[in-house]
Amino acid sequence: MWVLIYPNEFIDDMHRFRDEGPAYPYVIIPEFAQVTCMKNEGADNDDVINRAPGQLPEDFFEGK
């Protein structure tokens, strides 16, 4: 079931939300990761990311 809503009915609400201040982000969560391998494999190369990290071979990062 689709419900069609016209934004004109909510313009006053949108202006009020805008004037109250930012609503995003509520919580900033810093996320960091160590880059373990960086290599140029070319554009549109589907062999670069073709499996989930948990499916990589045991020796995938050795020698890189």
Side-chain angles (χ1 to χ4, degrees), residues 42-64:
D44 299 325
N45 185 349
D46 291 333
D47 293 331
V48 175
I49 302 174
N50 61 358
R51 63 187 72 181
Q55 296 174 335
L56 293 173
E58 292 284 329
D59 61 345
F60 184 78
F61 289 108
E62 289 180 15
K64 295 185 179 191

Side-chain angles (χ1 to χ4, degrees), residues 4-55:
L4 185 58
I5 299 175
Y6 293 100
N8 292 348
E9 299 173 23
F10 302 100
I11 288 179
D12 292 335
D13 289 334
M14 291 189 298
H15 287 169
R16 188 180 82 246
F17 294 146
R18 179 197 65 195
D19 295 338
E20 286 177 0
Y24 182 84
Y26 290 106
V27 177
I28 297 174
I29 301 173
E31 296 182 7
F32 300 94
Q34 180 179 2
V35 176
T36 56
C37 178
M38 194 161 69
K39 182 177 172 186
N40 185 355
E41 294 285 348
D44 299 325
N45 185 349
D46 291 333
D47 293 331
V48 175
I49 302 174
N50 61 358
R51 63 187 72 181
Q55 296 174 335

